Amino acid sequence: MRAPRVLLRVDASLELASGHVMRCMTLAKKIAEQGGECVFVCRDLEGNMIDAIIAAGFAVNVLTKQPQLASDCIDARLGATEAVDAKQTLSAIALFKPDIVIVDHYALGKLWEDSISARVVFVLAIDDFTDRPHACDMLLNQNHGVTPHSYAGGVLPENCKILAGAQYALLRPEFAEARALDFAKSRRNILISMGGMDARNATAWVLNVLDEYSLPKGWSVSVVLGGASPHREAVETQLQALNLDADLLVNVQNMAELMTRADFAIGASGSTSWERCAVGLPAIIVSLAANQDGLAQALVDAKAAHRVVLGDTMALSQKIAILTSDARARQAMTRAAASITDGHGVERVAKAITQMLVQSEGKANGQQF
């Protein structure tokens, strides 16, 4: 079997954040390592990660933001209508002639996939919800606690292959490698990572709470932000005024290493949750969007994390006090987190794609790609 040609349709923006692009790049790198060829299709939205994708060695077909017209129902997360996006993506498909299309986008679903599926061997949708209708051949939901039985009848096509659960989390290899380190030893460090964009500037709130709480002597703080974060300069200014031993790290390429240096993290409950689990890092999760609530609660139920609401200063202070003072509590959370995913999800997904392509090759007979 020849190596596949894969087109990935994904966006990052201030609204969508960066996790979708990060996990798609991880999967694309694995496919490329196995000889496949990958291109991305991304819209030029504010906060996009197009430059980062290009820097990783992938070509990007850039879609322009559709002008707002009174007659158009444009989804702000997409910068176009779903139908227009499908038409533009079909133009990219005609040029690249992929075997597989991978779509990771909350604003693209069944209508878009119906338009695309006739032009490729199969469509893989990556989604974090279990109630969005799809017309895909394979669906990946990497969230803990999700199973194929989580999907009600009619949501997915009858023969859709479902990859469900955190064992399929798309993580870079360094997170699996970091599992071997000893987390029993205290580093006296707190890692703050509220997502690459942190559009709501939750980082500022967390830093103020830490400053007011007065961390025990010898504790330090590492703050991670993406280069496109709209609050980067404000956080830099804030850190200069606070009485914290803190460093600001921007566009880091060594997140796994930073996690191994920390005793616990305070972070958003997005895709980075699985990175923390893979290395066994205890966490205080701050839910920043309604679509993260289920994920956050699953981690709390598994005793892998604490959860607080953005703005609840007392609750955050209480959780910080527990994790800075109780090494046994941290170790228990480490074991619980590490049991959720081993960091080898991207290998499992790549293998499933290869198997699906072999099984689906007959679909391509007589079609023009």
Side-chain angles (χ1 to χ4, degrees):
M1 186 192 79
R2 65 177 176 81
R5 295 167 66 85
V6 181
L7 182 146
L8 299 97
R9 176 68 186 95
V10 62
D11 284 329
S13 69
L14 297 182
E15 245 184 286
L16 291 170
S18 59
H20 301 274
V21 168
M22 294 300 294
R23 65 190 182 188
C24 280
M25 283 204 296
T26 296
L27 181 54
K29 288 177 181 178
K30 175 58 66 173
I31 292 170
E33 286 174 8
Q34 297 176 347
E37 184 178 357
C38 299
V39 301
F40 283 73
V41 175
C42 303
R43 195 169 300 279
D44 186 13
L45 303 173
E46 185 179 1
N48 70 72
M49 293 182 64
I50 292 170
D51 288 344
I53 298 171
I54 294 172
F58 298 106
V60 181
N61 187 313
V62 180
L63 308 181
T64 57
K65 187 174 181 180
Q66 185 181 359
Q68 179 72 56
L69 301 175
S71 60
D72 287 334
C73 297
I74 295 177
D75 191 317
R77 299 169 299 176
L78 187 61
T81 64
E82 193 170 5
V84 165
D85 194 285
K87 183 177 180 180
Q88 293 174 324
T89 304
L90 284 170
S91 296
I93 287 172
L95 291 172
F96 181 58
K97 297 179 174 58
D99 304 294
I100 304 163
V101 165
I102 297 173
V103 56
D104 185 351
H105 208 302
Y106 291 155
L108 300 175
K110 186 176 186 298
L111 185 152
W112 189 93
E113 292 156 8
D114 270 329
S115 300
I116 301 299
S117 60
R119 299 290 301 276
V120 295
V121 176
F122 74 88
V123 174
L124 163 60
I126 303 175
D127 201 353
D128 299 304
F129 298 94
T130 59
D131 57 354
R132 293 181 65 225
H134 286 279
C136 56
D137 303 281
M138 178 184 289
L139 182 129
L140 166 62
N141 186 326
Q142 64 178 25
N143 292 324
H144 178 58
V146 178
T147 73
H149 299 293
S150 302
Y151 293 86
V155 174
L156 302 176
E158 184 177 350
N159 296 322
C160 180
K161 171 72 173 177
I162 303 173
L163 307 179
Q167 67 268 32
Y168 293 107
L170 299 173
L171 305 181
R172 300 189 300 279
E174 55 262 36
F175 292 99
E177 295 166 2
R179 285 172 68 84
L181 295 177
D182 179 14
F183 273 83
K185 180 180 179 181
S186 175
R187 280 78 172 169
R188 302 177 74 81
N189 177 261
I190 302 170
L191 178 65
I192 301 174
S193 176
M194 307 306 301
M197 299 299 175
D198 189 14
R200 299 178 67 180
N201 200 15
T203 300
W205 171 66
V206 172
L207 288 172
N208 282 330
V209 174
L210 286 168
D211 190 52
E212 293 171 7
Y213 169 70
S214 297
L215 283 173
K217 185 178 180 180
W219 280 78
S220 63
V221 177
S222 299
V223 182
V224 175
L225 280 177
S229 172
H231 305 291
R232 174 182 170 181
E233 291 184 3
V235 170
E236 288 177 340
T237 301
Q238 179 185 12
L239 285 173
Q240 293 172 4
L242 297 180
N243 187 31
L244 290 173
D245 178 8
D247 293 319
L248 176 61
L249 308 169
V250 180
N251 277 344
V252 302
Q253 302 300 315
N254 62 333
M255 182 61 88
E257 180 184 352
L258 293 175
M259 288 182 176
T260 64
R261 297 177 187 172
D263 289 84
F264 66 94
I266 304 175
S269 52
S271 298
T272 195
S273 294
W274 314 127
E275 297 173 351
R276 294 190 293 256
C277 285
V279 303
L281 182 64
I284 301 171
I285 289 175
V286 183
S287 293
L288 300 178
N291 61 12
Q292 296 180 351
D293 288 346
L295 185 160
Q297 191 58 50
L299 291 171
V300 171
D301 292 344
K303 303 187 185 305
H306 294 299
R307 180 186 179 192
V308 299
V309 175
L310 181 63
D312 191 341
T313 297
M314 182 176 293
L316 180 56
S317 294
Q318 291 173 343
K319 302 304 182 185
I320 291 170
I322 292 171
L323 292 181
T324 53
S325 64
D326 192 340
R328 288 186 178 180
R330 295 196 303 268
Q331 290 165 18
M333 291 180 74
T334 287
R335 291 190 294 270
S339 70
I340 289 174
T341 182
D342 62 4
H344 292 287
V346 68
E347 298 165 18
R348 297 184 181 100
V349 174
K351 182 178 179 180
I353 289 173
T354 299
Q355 292 173 340
M356 186 75 166
L357 186 59
V358 171
Q359 295 167 6
S360 303
E361 280 183 326
K363 180 181 175 182
N365 292 340
Q367 294 188 8
Q368 299 298 315
F369 295 118

